[in-house]
Amino acid sequence: MSTHDEKEAPAASHVGGLATTQDVERIEAPVTWKAYLLCAFASFGGIFFGYDSGYINGVLGSQIFIDAVEFAGAKAVSESRTSLIVSILSCGTFFGALIAGDAADWIGRKWTVILGCLIYIIGVVIQMITGLGDPLAAIVAGRLIAGIGVGFESAVVILYMSEICPRKVRGALVAGYQFCITIGIMLAACVVYATEGRTDTGSYRIPIAIQFLWAIILAGGLMMLPDSPRYFVKKANLPAATDALARLRGQPKDSEYIQVELAEIVANEEYERQLIPNTTWFGSWANCFKGSLFKANSNLRKTILGTSLQMMQQWTGVNFIFYYSTPFLKSTGAISNSFVISMIFTVINVCSTPISFWTVERFGRRTILLWGALGMLICQFLVAIIGVTVGFNHTFPAPTAEDPERTLANNISAVNAQIAFIAIFIFFFASTWGPGAWILIGEIFPLPIRSRGVGLSTASNWLWNTIIAVITPYMVGTDKGNMKSSVFFVWGGLCTFALIYTFLFVPETKGLSLEQVDKMMEETTPRTSAKWKPHTTFAGSQPTDSAYLKQESV
């Protein structure tokens, strides 16, 4: 160890070859910049999520693609086929996230993500042959398979990052995942814009083919990273856990820091195993739903908390903004260039997310979710009120030879005000609920059920993503619900529900190790959790005849 490390070494005793400490502030090794970069790299997986969500709308607008999927000269892909092509990805991701929970416990967090990259590549290859044979079959089958790969990645990257990141910056580093999602959305918009003028199959094959790059970068980079030390502890492989932790913290394997942190992980795992013993495959899933609904630290409550956080992230209406707001705004006649307005929203999304890197560690997860929900509901209700009074809902016919159904807004200034509040809404989402929900689902589950809990929570995100994508056209379609601006009352009401839910049920996990989060949820309530301080270590309070602690550190 360095001279600095020796001076700062924690006061520790030695138990069974591993050092332990009673100092709750010294249970984690200091981290080098190299180690920070190792932890941050995994967030690159967010590019998958964002790019896959963003590129398909551009592909569906390609005339070459339309001719291939429909017939030569068709104006657009039919509504039923569009729905199938768009939603089939979410179907794959839903099941992929659930399967990933098992895979992460069987083969490890790192190798599950790499396997997801390989599945994703297979799906991309199949999508590339669209236009040969039955084109609809190729794009649908390819997106289904690619979706399974995205499900693996979206669930396990969060799990992996939560388990390897240092506690004091875990929130900021996991927020990097959401930042990469926003970058993926922006890259997709740029690629689609750059290829939309092509008159060959490159207009849709290039946006599809670029997905290879994300899979190769993520899989190749992870090959050089260690797996999660907590996975190795779960598998009772202490030497591998020691080696992985030393690499992640940039410390020698025989460092007292490494031994103390490892002893804490091991002691917590043994404590949790007393509460959640090993069982059958079915029993391990059933463990996620055990306990009382009225007990804050029960597995059932934690599973409901994780799945409902992801549900409410979708309930904010953010996907309506990105998927439907541009044609919605354009239909008023006040907006002429749909790409410009969509890029404005996308850039705000990208630039606002890094704010959470600081706020999530300075003010905490619970705090930013509360203020975020408040800001979003105010913006949504203002958009709705302006729209039904003087904005979106008030237009007059202004047909042209090119567009006989063209309309113009009566009050373009009011529409611009609505656009401004939508932009402010995106700021609040991107800096709070966007990253906040992902951070919390990686922190709230105990190690024995963590992989499955995160898998269920991620699957909830994709399920509600699909549901909202399916029902929204029926809410705003001119030949269906035709709610116009009134749809923002729905999103505002749901944001109000998210505010109340956060106040009552979401705990504060800032600055705690994953093991301390378990203890905090046992000893406090969500509303008082921010005041909770760790008062003892697991390793210091565990019996000295621990089976793990008797193993020699290598």
Side-chain angles (χ1 to χ4, degrees):
M1 290 187 292
S2 67
T3 304
H4 172 75
D5 289 346
E6 289 170 355
K7 288 180 180 178
E8 297 293 329
S13 59
H14 291 269
V15 180
L18 284 178
T20 64
T21 181
Q22 295 288 348
D23 187 348
V24 295
E25 295 301 320
R26 311 305 298 272
I27 60 168
E28 192 170 84
V31 189
T32 64
W33 274 107
K34 178 183 176 182
Y36 279 127
L37 292 175
L38 285 177
C39 295
F41 174 78
S43 64
F44 181 83
I47 296 280
F48 280 62
F49 194 148
Y51 189 87
D52 244 49
S53 300
Y55 87 91
I56 192 61
N57 289 337
V59 168
L60 291 170
S62 164
Q63 187 59 51
I64 303 294
F65 182 83
I66 294 169
D67 291 344
V69 172
E70 293 290 338
F71 55 86
K75 292 185 177 180
V77 179
S78 67
E79 288 185 8
S80 60
R81 290 186 172 184
T82 296
S83 177
L84 175 62
I85 292 169
V86 172
S87 63
I88 197 68
L89 178 86
S90 296
C91 178
T93 52
F94 174 80
F95 289 106
L98 293 178
I99 296 168
D102 282 328
D105 278 348
W106 292 337
I107 63 174
R109 282 58 162 146
K110 179 178 91 168
W111 291 106
T112 300
V113 177
I114 292 172
L115 176 61
C117 291
L118 295 176
I119 295 171
Y120 184 76
I121 287 173
I122 293 170
V124 173
V125 169
I126 295 172
Q127 291 177 69
M128 287 288 291
I129 66 174
T130 298
L132 303 175
D134 186 334
L136 185 63
I139 191 70
V140 169
R143 281 179 61 79
L144 176 64
I145 293 171
I148 294 172
V150 175
F152 271 51
E153 175 275 325
S154 59
V156 181
V157 163
I158 292 297
L159 172 65
Y160 179 65
M161 291 186 69
S162 297
E163 291 191 341
I164 68 173
C165 291
R167 63 190 171 107
K168 292 184 178 179
V169 292
R170 185 177 61 241
L173 290 173
V174 176
Y177 178 80
Q178 175 67 20
F179 181 53
C180 285
I181 291 176
T182 65
I183 291 176
I185 293 171
M186 184 173 70
L187 288 173
C190 293
V191 170
V192 166
Y193 183 66
T195 58
E196 67 178 359
R198 294 179 67 101
T199 57
D200 57 16
T201 57
S203 64
Y204 66 88
R205 283 185 172 151
I206 290 174
I208 291 172
I210 285 177
Q211 296 172 100
F212 281 117
L213 184 62
W214 318 138
I216 291 169
I217 292 174
L218 183 60
L222 283 177
M223 288 283 190
M224 296 180 282
L225 267 63
D227 210 327
S228 164
R230 288 173 170 87
Y231 163 72
F232 288 125
V233 167
K234 184 178 173 69
K235 291 295 186 181
N237 188 346
L238 195 59
T242 304
D243 180 67
L245 189 60
R247 289 176 63 191
L248 288 167
R249 299 293 182 257
Q251 298 282 332
K253 286 190 285 187
D254 59 354
S255 162
E256 198 166 76
Y257 286 115
I258 297 300
Q259 294 181 44
V260 165
E261 184 172 352
L262 189 60
E264 186 70 3
I265 295 170
V266 167
N268 174 260
E269 207 277 340
E270 292 197 331
Y271 171 75
E272 294 292 350
R273 277 290 167 217
Q274 295 171 12
L275 303 177
I276 313 172
N278 281 320
T279 181
T280 62
W281 173 84
F282 180 80
S284 63
W285 278 102
N287 281 335
C288 295
F289 303 96
K290 285 187 176 178
S292 170
L293 184 63
F294 303 100
K295 191 176 180 183
N297 70 318
S298 71
N299 290 352
L300 176 61
R301 275 284 291 272
K302 290 174 181 177
T303 299
I304 292 174
L305 176 61
T307 53
S308 59
L309 277 169
Q310 291 294 323
M311 175 184 72
M312 281 181 282
Q313 188 199 60
Q314 294 299 310
W315 276 9
T316 59
V318 69
N319 279 338
F320 171 80
I321 301 297
F322 285 110
Y323 293 163
Y324 297 104
S325 66
T326 301
F328 193 45
L329 291 170
K330 193 175 180 180
S331 69
T332 67
I335 307 298
S336 57
N337 191 322
S338 59
F339 176 77
V340 170
I341 199 70
S342 68
M343 279 304 296
I344 290 172
F345 290 162
T346 301
V347 169
I348 292 171
N349 194 26
V350 172
C351 294
S352 301
T353 303
I355 295 172
S356 67
F357 297 175
W358 177 71
T359 57
V360 75
E361 300 297 355
R362 174 64 179 83
F363 302 109
R365 287 70 157 147
R366 176 181 165 88
T367 301
I368 67 169
L369 291 184
L370 283 169
W371 284 104
L374 179 62
M376 288 189 295
L377 74 88
I378 291 173
C379 290
Q380 298 279 26
F381 282 128
L382 284 173
V383 172
I385 292 168
I386 294 171
V388 299
T389 53
V390 292
F392 289 160
N393 292 21
H394 301 273
T395 60
F396 62 90
T400 63
E402 294 79 18
D403 186 3
E405 297 182 3
R406 178 171 173 261
T407 60
L408 288 176
N410 291 351
N411 189 330
I412 292 179
S413 296
V415 173
N416 289 336
Q418 289 181 278
I419 293 170
F421 282 116
I422 290 172
I424 296 170
F425 160 82
I426 292 172
F427 163 79
F428 276 111
F429 174 84
S431 58
T432 60
W433 274 84
W438 290 112
I439 294 167
L440 276 164
I441 67 167
E443 297 177 330
I444 59 176
F445 294 101
L447 183 56
I449 65 166
R450 186 174 295 141
S451 63
R452 290 175 172 86
V454 174
L456 284 166
S457 301
T458 307
S460 172
N461 181 290
W462 287 105
L463 175 64
W464 284 98
N465 186 316
T466 305
I467 291 172
I468 289 173
V470 170
I471 66 174
T472 300
Y474 292 93
M475 297 165 69
V476 299
T478 54
D479 58 340
K480 298 180 175 70
N482 198 24
M483 293 180 69
K484 296 184 178 180
S485 296
S486 299
V487 74
F488 288 93
F489 283 119
V490 175
W491 306 131
L494 292 173
C495 286
T496 303
F497 180 83
L499 174 67
I500 297 169
Y501 184 90
T502 301
F503 178 76
L504 294 176
F505 300 112
V506 176
E508 181 54 73
T509 58
K510 175 176 74 80
L512 303 178
S513 71
L514 297 183
E515 290 69 39
Q516 290 170 341
V517 170
D518 289 343
K519 181 62 73 173
M520 176 272 291
M521 294 184 77
E522 284 184 21
E523 297 181 353
T524 188
T525 65
R527 279 168 287 174
T528 59
S529 57
K531 298 178 181 178
W532 186 87
K533 301 294 181 186
H535 47 81
T536 185
T537 64
F538 277 97
S541 60
Q542 284 289 88
T544 60
D545 61 348
S546 164
Y548 275 91
L549 295 180
K550 281 187 175 181
Q551 300 179 60
E552 288 298 320
S553 176
V554 177

